């Protein structure tokens, strides 16, 4: 059975790399959208946020971005203003966002992706930092 998964990915991000590796550990080759090279349209970004059940502020990344310089911590900024900032500066979009037949989620921590995968893990998985997430039988470690 072919499974259609999309990951909005930044290869420079360890969380994003771990998430991609867990998708592949389930035997699924996802569509990889490097959103810094090919940013989503505003309409797609709004759709992803809605489907994930989060707000634009929930998707806003602070670390390593122009968040502070743009004054995005101001709680009076509207969702539209935050979306405008993410469209103008895609690095402000937190990652990785994963779209699967089971839903859309910002996968932070990376093992949140396990709830979106219709296929079981095919073996043990450890994050890049060595943290064991899945055991040898493919079961999530609590």
């Amino acid at each position: 059975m072919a499974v259609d998964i999309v990951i909005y990915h930044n290869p420079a991000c360890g969380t994003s790399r771990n998430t991609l590796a867990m998708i592949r550990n389930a035997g699924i080759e996802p569509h990889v959208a490097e959103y810094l090279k090919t940013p989503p349209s505003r309409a797609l970004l709004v759709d992803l946020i809605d489907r994930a059940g989060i707000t634009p502020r929930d998707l806003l990344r602070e670390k390593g971005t122009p968040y502070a310089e743009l004054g995005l911590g101001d709680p009076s900024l509207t969702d539209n203003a935050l979306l405008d900032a993410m469209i103008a500066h895609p690095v402000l979009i937190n990652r990785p966002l994963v779209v699967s037949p089971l839903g859309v989620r910002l996968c932070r921590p990376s093992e949140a992706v396990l709830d979106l995968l219709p296929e079981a893990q095919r073996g043990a998985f450890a994050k890049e930092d060595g943290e064991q997430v899945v055991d040898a039988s493919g079961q999530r470690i609590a």
Side-chain angles (χ1 to χ4, degrees):
M1 172 176 92
V3 177
D4 198 21
I5 305 272
V6 178
I7 179 172
Y8 291 88
H9 177 61
N10 179 351
C13 171
T15 301
S16 196
R17 289 191 306 270
N18 284 323
T19 301
L20 178 57
M22 277 185 264
I23 296 169
R24 289 178 171 154
N25 195 47
I28 300 167
E29 185 53 41
H31 300 280
V32 178
E34 289 190 33
Y35 70 93
L36 294 178
K37 291 181 181 177
T38 309
S41 68
R42 182 187 183 93
L44 177 57
L45 189 60
V46 168
D47 181 60
L48 292 169
I49 289 168
D50 288 345
R51 290 172 60 200
I54 59 176
T55 68
R57 187 163 296 282
D58 294 333
L59 190 59
L60 200 57
R61 181 169 178 82
E62 295 180 38
K63 184 179 171 187
T65 73
Y67 178 92
E69 301 91 271
L70 296 173
L72 297 176
D74 180 349
S76 70
L77 289 174
T78 65
D79 286 351
N80 280 329
L82 298 177
L83 286 164
D84 288 343
M86 286 187 267
I87 294 301
H89 306 278
V91 72
L92 288 165
I93 301 170
N94 214 340
R95 73 268 179 167
L97 264 173
V98 176
V99 180
S100 95
L102 300 178
V104 177
R105 180 172 291 170
L106 174 61
C107 292
R108 299 189 76 78
S110 56
E111 57 268 28
V113 75
L114 297 173
D115 297 328
L116 292 177
L117 300 177
E119 304 292 329
Q121 294 287 287
R122 293 188 170 179
F125 183 84
K127 293 182 182 182
E128 291 178 359
D129 66 4
E131 179 187 352
Q132 196 72 32
V133 178
V134 176
D135 67 20
S137 65
Q139 298 301 307
R140 181 186 234 160
I141 296 171

